[in-house]
Amino acid sequence: MTSAPLTPAQVEQIGDAAGRIAAYAARALHDEFPHLDLEQLVETFTRPVAVEGVSRLYLAAIDGGSTPGEAAGKAGMALIHAWTEARLAAKAAAKAARTV
């Protein structure tokens, strides 16, 4: 990733992209699994740590030569994968706690 400081306009563009990525990821999960609460997904995906991660992944993909759409797709998929892994780990931990 380039080390040049971002302009205020670039920061705004990245913030907009991160917000759209979070919204599309939440909607995609909800559409595929309607029992998941859409508002809770949006809240989870717009937490500061998630937005920071999405922004970092988006910028890295752009710097790697991806188009903005490709970069958004990569960042969105990474967000969904991270959420899925965390959810599966939490379920496994809860199940292990119940069997003890």
Side-chain angles (χ1 to χ4, degrees), residues 16 35 45 67 88:
D16 182 57
H35 66 281
F45 289 173
T67 66
L88 291 173

Side-chain angles (χ1 to χ4, degrees), residues 3-63:
S3 60
L6 299 173
T7 67
Q10 289 172 316
V11 170
E12 187 174 332
Q13 288 174 336
I14 293 165
D16 182 57
R20 288 176 186 263
I21 291 165
Y24 284 126
R27 172 60 69 188
L29 273 173
H30 178 71
D31 288 349
E32 187 69 26
F33 305 102
H35 66 281
L36 297 174
D37 183 83
L38 181 59
E39 288 183 26
Q40 186 177 21
L41 288 169
V42 170
E43 190 275 325
T44 299
F45 289 173
T46 56
R47 289 182 181 153
V49 68
V51 171
E52 181 181 329
V54 164
S55 298
R56 190 173 13 84
L57 291 166
Y58 177 78
L59 286 174
I62 292 288
D63 285 347

Side-chain angles (χ1 to χ4, degrees), residues 69-86:
E70 292 168 338
K74 290 175 182 178
M77 286 300 296
L79 177 61
I80 290 171
H81 286 193
W83 176 85
T84 302
E85 289 173 12

